[in-house]
Amino acid sequence: MIRLNVLKTHDLDVLRISVLNSRIATNLKTMRSYRNVKAGFSGEGKVTKYLKEALLTPKITIYRNIILDNTQIDVIVVTPKLICILEVKNMVGEFYFDARTKQFFRIIDGNKEGMKNPELQLQRAVKTLQTKLHRKEIDMPVCGLIILASRAGIVIEYPTLFQAIPIDAMCDALEQLESSSHKLLTNKDLKKVDHIFKREVFEVHDEELLDRLGIERTEVIPGVRCIACSSVGMKRIYSTWVCGNCGCKDKEAHMATLQEYQLLFGREIKSQGVKWWLGIDDKYLVKRILIQVTEESFGNTRNRHYKLKFEPWLLDQFLASEMKKY
């Protein structure tokens, strides 16, 4: 039985860029980031599905998108006999790992494109996790594999520190690594490993996202999103939000829309921010909504800040529809 960890931080990365992309005018830099993040997310999903075929020790846990000491790790496979980090690349083209310069680039459509070196990323991730295991007195070496999730990606010049293999060969490689292992984690050790991953703190929003993409806050289009057709700009008619595009009616549409706000701007908001983001002027409605969605508040009456409840599952339907695009 494969157990998946509940928290998948990359879902938030996909949601952030998807929300932003859907709320601004066409921006080539944002669109490129949007497609790259979605490709990575899709690749990790493929890996998870393939891992169900692996003939490993029955007690398997798969951790997706864990951040350890600011090092993001795509996938970690943990069994009583194995801890393996998978650096997943869902890209097309011809790949070159330059052993001398430590650079990584690909050639696609005749163009040479430099990129982050997945071998160095994996090396960093392995060292980081190994250090944490040593601190917990867990005696188990950490291994790593670079997984090519797209069959249209071909390695021409191979890495020297880790294997770079197609996703079709992943299960066999993991089975071989586990069968050659002479270590065994106890149940107590496995709980310690789980604790390492579960205690890591993740950020709801990326403070530098707008600056990185050259977008001003005023360029982001506010408004309540229709969960049925994804259009922004639902109107409040009596006690219900009504979509002018598809006619859908939803009393709770503001709940998911305020999750979008958190992904872009953070968990704190003032009443004026609620008015702007939801497109409403009624201060009494704002007050009722804040009571419903707030975790805590602080500050004096005229300068009160509210900390919104973080409930990203309210955006599951939006995320599913985004993954079907392009």
Side-chain angles (χ1 to χ4, degrees):
M1 173 66 72
I2 293 180
R3 181 168 68 88
L4 283 170
N5 67 304
V6 176
L7 178 62
K8 301 186 290 293
T9 58
H10 202 67
D11 287 16
L12 301 186
D13 292 340
V14 177
L15 279 170
R16 278 190 209 102
I17 197 65
S18 296
V19 167
L20 182 60
N21 186 61
S22 70
R23 287 182 177 270
I24 60 171
T26 302
N27 180 300
L28 294 179
K29 197 170 183 180
T30 303
M31 181 61 72
R32 191 181 304 116
S33 179
Y34 172 71
R35 288 177 172 168
N36 288 342
V37 171
K38 280 179 60 179
F41 181 81
S42 177
E44 289 157 25
K46 289 180 188 178
V47 166
T48 301
K49 290 180 181 178
Y50 270 74
L51 283 170
K52 293 179 181 179
E53 301 175 10
L55 301 177
L56 301 172
T57 304
K59 197 171 185 179
I60 310 171
T61 303
I62 302 169
Y63 298 90
R64 280 182 61 182
N65 300 288
I66 299 297
I67 298 178
L68 298 178
D69 295 341
N70 296 317
T71 300
Q72 184 165 325
I73 302 175
D74 291 339
V75 180
I76 308 172
V77 180
V78 177
T79 79
K81 298 182 67 178
L82 174 72
I83 296 180
C84 185
I85 295 176
L86 307 180
E87 177 68 27
V88 183
K89 292 300 168 188
N90 190 25
M91 304 185 299
V92 301
E94 297 179 345
F95 306 142
Y96 295 80
F97 293 83
D98 192 316
R100 183 177 64 84
T101 64
K102 303 299 182 183
Q103 292 178 311
F104 170 76
F105 63 91
R106 69 171 173 174
I107 295 179
I108 181 170
D109 297 329
N111 297 314
K112 187 175 181 180
E113 181 181 355
M115 310 179 80
K116 286 185 178 180
N117 190 333
E119 184 177 32
L120 298 183
Q121 290 176 294
L122 182 53
Q123 182 184 38
R124 175 67 179 172
V126 168
K127 286 182 177 179
T128 299
L129 180 53
Q130 195 72 75
T131 298
K132 286 188 173 289
L133 293 178
H134 286 159
R135 288 175 182 168
K136 294 285 185 178
E137 299 182 344
I138 299 173
D139 184 19
M140 174 65 76
V142 179
C143 56
L145 294 170
I146 300 171
I147 306 298
L148 307 178
S150 172
R151 293 186 177 89
I154 303 172
V155 179
I156 304 300
E157 190 172 330
Y158 282 83
T160 57
L161 301 176
F162 302 96
Q163 293 184 72
I165 60 176
I167 193 169
D168 298 307
M170 177 182 64
C171 291
D172 286 340
L174 288 170
E175 290 165 10
Q176 290 174 12
L177 286 170
E178 190 183 61
S179 64
S180 63
S181 173
H182 300 294
K183 302 288 186 178
L184 184 65
L185 295 174
T186 64
N187 286 333
K188 184 178 180 180
D189 290 333
L190 291 171
K191 288 180 180 179
K192 287 182 180 180
V193 172
D194 189 66
H195 182 67
I196 289 173
F197 301 141
K198 293 293 178 66
R199 70 179 296 187
E200 289 300 314
V201 177
F202 64 93
E203 293 295 333
V204 171
H205 83 297
D206 181 348
E207 293 181 355
E208 300 176 355
L209 179 62
L210 297 183
D211 287 341
R212 195 162 59 241
L213 298 175
I215 297 170
E216 298 291 335
R217 182 185 175 111
T218 53
E219 295 178 62
V220 180
I221 301 169
V224 175
R225 186 187 302 280
C226 174
I227 199 66
C229 69
S230 292
S231 63
V232 172
M234 296 183 84
K235 301 298 182 182
R236 185 81 172 187
I237 300 178
Y238 298 110
S239 61
T240 301
W241 296 100
V242 180
C243 178
N245 183 56
C246 71
C248 176
K249 296 180 180 180
D250 187 345
K251 290 187 176 183
E252 305 293 336
H254 59 277
M255 300 285 286
T257 296
L258 285 169
Q259 299 304 309
E260 295 187 37
Y261 178 93
Q262 294 181 71
L263 291 168
L264 298 182
F265 306 117
R267 298 186 64 188
E268 291 183 16
I269 195 169
K270 297 173 71 173
S271 59
Q272 288 298 323
V274 175
K275 289 182 179 181
W276 167 69
W277 190 243
L278 299 183
I280 54 179
D281 293 320
D282 187 339
K283 65 179 182 180
Y284 298 106
L285 174 58
V286 169
K287 186 175 181 179
R288 290 198 300 272
I289 287 175
L290 283 170
I291 291 173
Q292 183 184 22
V293 302
T294 297
E295 191 173 281
E296 61 179 318
S297 63
F298 44 90
N300 57 45
T301 303
R302 299 191 62 172
N303 192 35
R304 186 169 293 279
H305 288 70
Y306 301 86
K307 185 175 183 180
L308 299 170
K309 296 176 184 176
F310 185 54
E311 301 171 323
W313 54 86
L314 294 175
L315 295 173
D316 281 352
Q317 189 171 334
F318 172 70
L319 177 60
S321 66
E322 286 295 304
M323 293 308 296
K324 294 177 182 177
K325 294 180 181 179
Y326 308 106

